[in-house]
Amino acid sequence: MASLERNNKLLIELVQQPGNNSCADCGAPDPDWASYTLGVFVCLNCSGMHRNLPAVSRVKSIRLDRWEDSLVEFMRETGNSAAKAVYEKCVPAFFYRPQQKDCLVLRDQWIRAKYERREFTGENSYFQQAYSSDLFESTLWKKGKDNKQFLKRIFLLSRKDFTLRYFIKEDSKVPKAVICMKDLNAVFQPEKINHTNGLQISYLHGERMRNLFVYHENGQVMVALFNAIRATRLAYLQKKHPTLRDSDLIPQITRHCLKEGYMEKTGPTQREPFKKRWFTLCSMNRKLLYFKTPLDATELGAAFIGTESHGYSVSESSRSSRGGRWHCGITLQTPDRQFVFMCEQAQDQMEWLEALRKVISQPMTPEDYSNEANLARGK
């Protein structure tokens, strides 16, 4: 018992050291588990994924399980920083490194890529060459534009002309769509798509945002496509902005929305009845988009969000008497129009206000001014 307590105390001291005090895989603080075959400290969630790799990783609780002296010594000699120098030695700049709040498939495939496939140790370049190849092909299940049915489609990513094409059949000569990397975004949406490996691909089609919802049963296939898209997007941005550093371009490759969810909205005269709509706010393009449902292929409309000095503001508004079911109001003021939205709960209202104010507080870029003018012309 004395040895057990001593070894657990030693492990607790080790996990408090810089580098060890956050999960080696997702960055979560204060990890309570460790892989005694890899020498890394991990959080509870990531320890579960390590259990799925018994040939590579074996895990124990640093507080509850029994640790032999030799294993404690191995953890002392290795630790997160030393393991990272081996297993993350050659991670490409474009490769997405999941964080604690990212979805399961991203975190699972990151762990498998590091320890099971050893993609980043420098031992072989097969995977990195595949992500950055001139052509990257995947066969995915894609949701129909006007129905809920998912059908097989062939997707072809081209680094040569910075496009993503998809075809209805394998022998199709003409693609159903050609998507330019300029306005493409990809983000995993498992809950929205109702599939663990669900990916949403968004792009501008004319002046409106178009969404594709796709999945593959194999998580590795989906994450490989996602990182291939990121590799192609980075190459496009490097060509477009040759003077910018990669560190400036990486946040622009793919981006999460600041906030998504239902609100009720009324029309431009504010005398129209309120209608329930699905809203998406993205800080990169400064647009608040709205759809009839979360899985709509095309937006119904959009509002550009500028800065306070250009006439944009957002505030809490009082309960409406115009027939809406929800009563936690938001008023968005733009130079051309006042938008009124209603949230179901006060918590939703607070989160939307915070997200909108965050966008308004960010200075506008030359591209933002161009997007604002284009949206105004399109109305």
Side-chain angles (χ1 to χ4, degrees):
M1 179 62 73
S3 176
L4 170 63
E5 292 177 354
R6 179 178 63 83
N7 283 342
N8 289 115
K9 287 179 180 178
L10 289 172
L11 288 165
I12 291 170
E13 290 174 5
L14 286 175
V15 83
Q16 293 171 350
Q17 294 179 1
N20 294 337
N21 58 1
S22 59
C23 175
D25 298 321
C26 75
D30 306 319
D32 269 341
W33 292 75
S35 169
Y36 59 87
T37 53
L38 297 170
V40 294
F41 294 92
V42 296
C43 69
L44 175 62
N45 287 334
C46 289
S47 73
M49 296 174 214
H50 278 256
R51 289 185 188 277
N52 294 328
L53 309 175
V56 176
S57 181
R58 299 294 181 92
V59 294
K60 287 187 178 188
S61 167
I62 64 172
R63 298 178 184 275
L64 303 177
D65 290 329
R66 181 180 182 85
W67 284 76
E68 293 79 10
D69 293 347
S70 60
L71 297 183
V72 174
E73 186 58 29
F74 177 67
M75 296 302 301
R76 188 202 305 277
E77 292 173 353
T78 312
N80 289 5
S81 297
K84 184 176 182 178
V86 175
Y87 296 106
E88 299 182 31
K89 179 182 178 182
C90 304
V91 181
F94 61 79
F95 202 95
Y96 187 79
R97 296 170 180 256
Q99 299 300 304
Q100 180 182 6
K101 292 184 179 180
D102 277 305
C103 65
L104 176 64
V105 68
L106 277 171
R107 290 181 287 117
D108 177 65
Q109 288 302 317
W110 169 240
I111 289 169
R112 289 180 181 276
K114 283 203 298 182
Y115 307 121
E116 186 178 51
R117 299 193 292 270
R118 299 174 68 93
E119 290 187 24
F120 316 121
T121 60
E123 297 169 33
N124 69 74
S125 58
Y126 168 79
F127 290 102
Q128 296 192 31
Q129 288 176 353
Y131 297 131
S132 302
S133 61
D134 288 340
L135 292 173
F136 190 100
E137 183 176 329
S138 293
T139 300
L140 309 175
W141 292 95
K142 173 191 166 292
K143 180 185 174 293
K145 180 180 178 181
D146 301 315
N147 58 59
K148 297 180 179 180
Q149 188 176 10
F150 281 79
L151 298 170
K152 273 191 177 181
R153 296 292 182 257
I154 295 88
F155 285 77
L156 189 63
L157 180 66
S158 173
R159 195 182 177 97
K160 293 179 179 179
D161 59 4
F162 299 120
T163 60
L164 175 65
R165 294 171 166 85
Y166 78 88
F167 301 81
I168 294 178
K169 298 179 180 179
E170 289 186 12
D171 58 354
S172 297
K173 302 297 182 184
V174 180
K176 179 69 174 177
V178 179
I179 305 166
C180 177
M181 284 294 116
K182 177 179 181 294
D183 299 303
L184 183 146
N185 186 40
V187 61
F188 278 93
Q189 293 276 19
E191 293 182 0
K192 183 189 288 189
I193 298 171
N194 196 29
H195 194 284
T196 306
N197 304 330
L199 184 75
Q200 177 178 332
I201 299 172
S202 303
Y203 62 98
L204 274 181
H205 181 66
E207 295 299 322
R208 292 191 179 274
M209 188 64 68
R210 174 84 163 88
N211 293 324
L212 305 180
F213 301 100
V214 297
Y215 73 85
H216 192 285
E217 293 296 343
N218 187 322
Q220 184 180 347
V221 171
M222 285 310 306
V223 175
L225 172 64
F226 176 67
N227 280 301
I229 289 173
R230 286 178 58 85
T232 307
R233 274 277 299 166
L234 178 58
Y236 167 79
L237 292 171
Q238 288 169 333
K239 186 175 182 179
K240 183 181 178 182
H241 305 288
T243 60
L244 293 183
R245 298 171 298 179
D246 282 358
S247 58
D248 297 319
L249 300 175
I250 298 299
Q252 302 179 41
I253 299 179
T254 55
R255 59 268 179 204
H256 293 281
C257 63
L258 271 181
K259 172 74 177 166
E260 276 194 313
Y262 279 111
M263 290 192 289
E264 290 184 333
K265 72 174 291 293
T266 184
T269 68
Q270 298 186 17
R271 290 191 295 270
E272 300 87 346
F274 277 89
K275 294 182 179 179
K276 184 179 177 182
R277 295 291 182 254
W278 178 266
F279 286 83
T280 298
L281 176 63
C282 180
S283 62
M284 292 298 294
N285 61 17
R286 308 185 73 107
K287 288 181 182 178
L288 178 65
L289 308 174
Y290 64 92
F291 306 81
K292 190 172 182 179
T293 72
L295 291 177
D296 276 5
T298 307
E299 65 172 84
L300 294 176
F304 183 84
I305 312 295
T307 60
E308 191 172 3
S309 60
H310 289 83
Y312 294 84
S313 63
V314 64
S315 60
E316 181 179 341
S317 60
S318 57
R319 174 173 176 164
S320 171
S321 59
R322 292 191 300 281
R325 294 178 302 156
W326 299 344
H327 306 296
C328 300
I330 292 174
T331 300
L332 173 65
Q333 185 68 54
T334 76
D336 303 319
R337 176 181 167 183
Q338 185 182 78
F339 293 86
V340 177
F341 309 116
M342 289 291 161
C343 302
E344 184 176 18
Q345 304 289 340
Q347 179 67 27
D348 296 328
Q349 178 192 44
M350 182 185 71
E351 291 174 0
W352 276 112
L353 287 169
E354 182 181 348
L356 288 162
R357 284 168 180 158
K358 183 175 182 179
V359 177
I360 290 172
S361 68
Q362 295 173 353
M364 286 172 59
T365 65
E367 193 168 354
D368 290 332
Y369 286 107
S370 176
N371 289 336
E372 181 184 33
N374 290 338
L375 193 60
R377 281 197 297 269
K379 290 182 178 178

